[in-house]
Amino acid sequence: MKQLRGDRALVELLLAARLVGLDTLQVACELTLECGVVMAAVVMNELRRLTAPERPERMSLPE
């Protein structure tokens, strides 16, 4: 809230929590605190990483 537009950032995080759940938001916040940069953008990035679909390990293409 101390940052510029901090109230708006908080609302965006709470809206994201509606989609991913509070537990996932909590994990994203904890990861953000561990890296030492407390910004809503970093929390949103962690949320995207946590909720991203798994990538296939390897694609096989015909020769």
Side-chain angles (χ1 to χ4, degrees):
M1 297 295 286
K2 294 178 184 180
Q3 298 175 358
L4 181 65
R5 298 185 187 153
D7 53 344
R8 185 177 189 149
L10 177 65
V11 170
E12 288 177 7
L13 290 173
L14 292 175
L15 288 173
R18 289 175 60 187
L19 299 173
V20 299
L22 285 175
D23 291 334
T24 307
L25 177 62
Q26 180 178 352
V27 171
C29 289
E30 290 170 356
L31 291 170
T32 301
L33 289 172
E34 285 177 9
C35 79
V37 179
V38 182
M39 294 177 58
V42 178
V43 177
M44 291 298 287
N45 189 35
E46 292 295 342
L47 276 176
R48 287 184 194 102
R49 288 182 188 185
L50 291 169
T51 60
E54 291 185 31
R55 293 182 180 183
E57 289 185 25
R58 191 163 223 193
M59 281 183 72
S60 59
L61 299 172
E63 293 186 24

